[in-house]
Structure formats: structure tokens, C-alpha cells
Amino acid sequence: MVSIKQSDVNAMKQEATKKGCELAFNLMLAIPAMVIHDKFGSLMKKDGRVEKFVDLCMEQYKCYEEGYVGLEELAKLLKDEAGVKIKGWEAEEIKR
């Protein structure tokens, strides 16, 4: 019989959660990058623009990950500065 400590189980859960979040983020980055490439290619003709978009997204994500900006703040900035309201990003829902 194999015995696993609770701390090992917790570490495995934490690692699985981290990998799942990274996968989800990469997917949510790949989709917009492909949309930009496929649908707005004429605006992005200059080489490296889609790559630059991806790099800027990763930079913004790093700011979030390091605690410099939160989802609530991002939602407010998008609404106030860009006029973009993302369904499901209402402040009450973000806090959950």
C-alpha cells in the first residue's frame, strides 16, 4: 500500500491548478492572436505585429500575476477607456 501525505496531495493540487491556468491562458491568448492574424491581416501586414500583440499580452498577464493589477481594475479600465464591457466581468462576478 502506498501512503501519501496531505502536504503531497496539496502540492499536487497546486501544481495541477497552475498548469491548468497556464493552459487556459495560453488558449485564450492563441485565439485572439489567430483572429487578428486571420481577420485583420491587412492591418497587421508589417512583420512582427501579431508577435508584438502576444508579447504585450504576456506583459499585461505578468502584471496581473505579480499583483500590480487585478481583474476588477482591468474590467473598469476596459469599460472606461475603451468602451468595452466583457459579459461576466461585472465587479460582483469577478470577486467570486
Side-chain angles (χ1 to χ4, degrees):
M1 180 163 88
V2 176
S3 181
I4 300 175
K5 296 184 286 185
Q6 185 62 42
S7 61
D8 293 335
V9 171
N10 291 344
M12 287 186 280
K13 285 181 180 178
Q14 190 173 14
E15 181 64 24
T17 300
K18 182 180 177 188
K19 285 183 179 180
C21 289
E22 288 173 355
L23 177 65
F25 180 78
N26 287 331
L27 178 62
M28 292 307 298
L29 180 57
I31 291 170
M34 282 306 302
V35 168
I36 287 172
H37 174 74
D38 290 346
K39 305 296 181 186
F40 300 98
S42 60
L43 297 174
M44 305 296 277
K45 279 190 178 191
K46 189 174 180 182
D47 285 341
R49 286 189 176 173
V50 175
E51 183 179 8
K52 179 69 173 172
F53 168 77
V54 170
D55 290 344
L56 291 169
C57 289
M58 292 302 293
E59 185 179 304
Q60 190 67 43
Y61 179 71
K62 185 177 179 183
C63 289
Y64 166 76
E65 197 172 54
E66 293 177 357
Y68 295 115
V69 67
L71 288 178
E72 225 176 305
E73 186 178 2
L74 288 173
K76 183 172 178 6
L77 289 169
L78 281 171
K79 184 179 176 190
D80 294 349
E81 294 180 13
V84 174
K85 185 175 179 183
I86 299 174
K87 187 176 180 178
W89 272 43
E90 286 75 25
E92 303 80 39
E93 294 178 15
I94 292 173
K95 290 180 182 177
R96 290 184 203 162

